[in-house]
Amino acid sequence: MKDKGLVFVSGHFNVLHPGHLRLLRFAKECGDRLVVAIESDRMSGKAAHVPEDLRLECVQSNNWVDEAFIADVPITETIERLRPDIVVKGKEHELHFNPELAVLEQYGGQLLFSSGETVFSSLDLIRKEFTNLDSRSIRLPHEYLKRHGVTNTRLSSLLQNFTKLKVCVIGDLIIDEYITCQPLGMSQEDTTIVVMPLDTTRFIGGAGIVAAHAAGLGASVQFISVTGRDTVRDFAMDGLAEVGVDARLLVDDSRPTTLKQRYRSKGKSLLRVSHLHQSAISVALQKQLLLELERVINGIDVLVFSDFNYGCLPQSLVEQIVTMAQNRCVIMAADSQSSSQVGDISRFKGMDLLTPTEREARISTRNREDGLVVLAEQLRQQASAKNILLKLGEEGLLIHAGNGKAKEWLTDRVDALNSAPKDVAGAGDSLLITSAMTMASGGNIWEAGCLGSLAAAVQVGRVGNTPIQSDELLRELN
């Protein structure tokens, strides 16, 4: 890609107001490097209301500015020395005499006038949507906790034990890309809505965010998956390393790293575009994956399957992995998502925990008629599982354990704990790993269901997959 070059802006900058921010943002997008000259007290004269060193410090603190300095000579001389490719001035200067133009014409530089689009000033607010959590919308299930004799102190103790766990996550890595857009209107050529992209934010998703959640909750985490050989893989490797996940990503040159793009405007999704390959990985890659697991399985406490039916976990491989884990008495949990394609969560046999949606459970059991308790028990028996957490979306969670012969509670419900969700996409991932880690820490299924629901409530309170932190859950409990 051709180097877009050096961009130059100058001014007094007594106060860095929103107009300046839009101008600097626009200038930065015009090139690769933005240099700003702050006119000295001597050159500014009465226009300088703030000392030059403070004005310089203010501009230097702006993320869009690569370099700033005090100019004690006329700006034309500074331009002659720097020879920027582009000089940017505010729109209000366009109809006036601009001495910079003569200097730029001597060597082929360009003079642009813009105060920046007003939509750019809202980008910080847009980005806050991805991180801000309003905990006032989260409520603990006090009646449920009372029924099962669970205290906040007990739940806090289980959370603190997460730091002792060693976790391995296996499954399909996904990168989620959110493209925030400004709607421009309807096309005059056809019935198409026209938007202008403002900002792009990427998150690690799929099995990758399950591993990242585990690391954020304090565990030592190994993650095994398959990717393409592309820049999306590079993003995943860097992101996983940053959150403390030991990622072992095998390369399949026949497929891209799965990328799901969501075009959004004003908090709503306009369009989704998925770049993926759904066929099973080759036998050679299956053998490599098994070798990676053999290197770590003797030291782990819990093994989590995070399956999106994109080919990372063909049935023969799943069966070999399950046998390997059972021989070492490793706790196992599985989630197999089939939101947009056919899947079968019951193919993960002998799990300590399965976390399907109602739809996924009905697909696996081919049961379209029976109630939720009968459905959960049928899936539990079909998959030879110990416990089922049946995800019911906005209706919460059904917790099912055993076959109905014991005297203690075997089925119960937890309502959705967040009354104002922003993005439900990551709820199941956070529920899966938090519940599995609770059981691996000695918690029972009722405690696992509660902490898993609490993690999901925190996760849906913000947009995009951001790793859950144990402090966030402890804060809600306290």
Side-chain angles (χ1 to χ4, degrees):
M1 182 181 294
K2 184 179 179 181
D3 188 346
K4 292 192 292 184
L6 178 67
V7 183
F8 177 77
V9 172
S10 64
H12 305 306
F13 296 103
N14 286 299
V15 177
L16 205 60
H17 55 69
H20 287 141
L21 297 180
R22 292 196 295 270
L23 177 68
L24 293 174
R25 166 86 188 201
F26 172 82
K28 178 62 176 177
E29 291 187 337
C30 290
D32 296 304
R33 183 172 175 78
L34 174 58
V35 175
V36 178
I38 290 83
E39 295 184 11
S40 67
D41 292 344
R42 184 181 70 85
M43 295 298 299
S44 298
K46 293 182 180 180
H49 304 295
V50 178
E52 59 186 29
D53 57 335
L54 296 180
R55 291 186 284 129
L56 174 64
E57 182 179 352
C58 184
V59 172
Q60 286 175 328
S61 67
N62 186 276
N63 290 334
W64 297 316
V65 177
D66 296 292
E67 181 183 348
F69 62 92
I70 295 172
D72 198 35
V73 296
I75 292 301
T76 52
E77 294 184 23
T78 303
I79 292 174
E80 285 180 326
R81 178 174 59 86
L82 292 178
R83 298 176 68 86
D85 298 277
I86 297 172
V87 172
V88 175
K89 299 185 70 172
K91 194 75 172 177
E92 67 275 15
H93 297 286
E94 189 170 15
L95 299 179
H96 296 82
F97 172 69
N98 295 281
E100 301 93 340
L101 186 58
V103 179
L104 291 167
E105 289 176 345
Q106 293 176 7
Y107 64 87
Q110 186 179 7
L111 180 61
L112 297 181
F113 299 96
S114 176
S115 297
E117 297 292 336
T118 57
V119 292
F120 289 139
S121 64
S122 65
L123 273 175
D124 286 342
L125 296 177
I126 291 171
R127 287 171 178 151
K128 286 180 181 178
E129 180 188 16
F130 293 95
T131 56
N132 282 3
L133 170 69
D134 185 0
S135 61
R136 292 174 298 178
S137 63
I138 297 176
R139 295 289 183 271
L140 291 175
H142 297 294
E143 290 299 320
Y144 169 89
L145 295 174
K146 184 177 180 181
R147 284 197 296 272
H148 298 288
V150 180
T151 64
N152 287 19
T153 301
R154 166 64 176 170
L155 295 177
S156 297
S157 176
L158 288 169
L159 275 172
Q160 290 163 358
N161 286 337
F162 285 1
T163 58
K164 303 175 184 177
L165 295 179
K166 294 182 179 179
V167 177
C168 181
V169 178
I170 299 178
D172 300 288
L173 172 67
I174 298 171
I175 300 302
D176 295 306
E177 184 174 73
Y178 290 76
I179 303 166
T180 303
C181 303
Q182 174 75 10
L184 299 180
M186 185 71 72
S187 170
Q188 299 302 309
E189 300 170 355
D190 54 25
T191 55
T192 303
I193 296 175
V194 181
V195 299
M196 177 175 65
L198 299 180
D199 193 46
T200 299
T201 306
R202 281 183 173 180
F203 298 95
I204 292 172
I209 192 60
V210 175
H213 284 323
L217 291 169
S220 173
V221 186
Q222 308 281 339
F223 173 48
I224 305 174
S225 187
V226 177
T227 70
R229 194 186 303 275
D230 47 36
T231 58
V232 181
R233 168 194 164 85
D234 298 337
F235 171 83
M237 289 293 293
D238 292 342
L240 290 165
E242 186 176 338
V243 297
V245 173
D246 181 3
R248 298 155 189 253
L249 304 184
L250 307 180
V251 175
D252 183 351
D253 289 313
S254 70
R255 69 178 64 224
T257 304
T258 301
L259 174 67
K260 293 186 176 182
Q261 296 174 310
R262 294 173 174 86
Y263 290 81
R264 293 172 57 86
S265 179
K266 298 182 179 180
K268 304 293 183 181
S269 290
L270 305 175
L271 174 70
R272 294 189 180 190
V273 179
S274 295
H275 307 262
L276 52 86
H277 191 161
Q278 292 181 277
S279 63
I281 60 174
S282 66
V283 173
L285 275 172
Q286 292 180 44
K287 291 179 179 178
Q288 288 183 43
L289 196 150
L290 277 175
L291 287 174
E292 292 292 345
L293 181 59
E294 286 177 352
R295 293 190 180 102
V296 301
I297 195 166
N298 287 325
I300 64 174
D301 302 296
V302 56
L303 175 66
V304 177
F305 295 95
S306 181
D307 178 36
F308 288 78
N309 291 287
Y310 293 153
C312 182
L313 292 170
Q315 186 59 34
S316 60
L317 177 61
V318 169
E319 292 171 0
Q320 294 177 75
I321 293 173
V322 169
T323 299
M324 190 185 303
Q326 287 176 334
N327 290 339
R328 294 163 175 81
C329 299
V330 175
I331 290 176
M332 291 184 289
D335 189 10
S336 182
Q337 297 194 27
S338 54
S339 58
S340 58
Q341 62 277 326
V342 175
D344 182 8
I345 194 169
S346 68
R347 73 189 185 94
F348 294 91
K349 305 292 185 183
M351 297 293 109
D352 296 278
L353 180 67
L354 291 178
T355 63
T357 63
E358 178 186 353
R359 177 178 180 273
E360 289 159 357
R362 293 194 183 280
I363 288 174
S364 293
T365 59
R366 296 181 174 83
N367 185 338
R368 304 286 181 180
E369 300 175 355
D370 287 324
L372 297 178
V373 176
V374 174
L375 174 66
E377 176 60 16
Q378 182 181 351
L379 176 61
R380 193 194 67 79
Q381 293 189 22
Q382 182 173 314
S384 301
K386 293 182 180 179
N387 303 287
I388 305 290
L389 296 182
L390 194 64
K391 298 176 290 191
L392 305 175
E394 62 185 15
E395 296 180 23
L397 186 72
L398 183 139
I399 300 143
H400 182 73
N403 57 13
K405 296 181 180 179
K407 294 181 180 180
E408 66 268 15
W409 284 84
L410 294 174
T411 304
D412 204 349
R413 285 277 297 271
V414 176
D415 291 331
L417 303 186
N418 193 325
S419 60
K422 292 182 180 179
D423 184 3
V424 300
D429 301 325
S430 52
L431 170 77
L432 167 66
I433 191 63
T434 307
S435 300
M437 290 173 65
T438 301
M439 296 181 69
S441 296
N444 60 36
I445 187 60
W446 316 114
E447 293 162 339
C450 182
L451 281 179
S453 295
L454 182 58
V458 170
Q459 186 63 18
V460 302
R462 54 198 173 203
V463 177
N465 269 336
T466 304
I468 290 284
Q469 304 297 313
S470 58
D471 289 347
E472 294 177 302
L473 303 189
L474 287 170
R475 191 180 307 121
E476 297 300 329
L477 291 174
N478 294 328

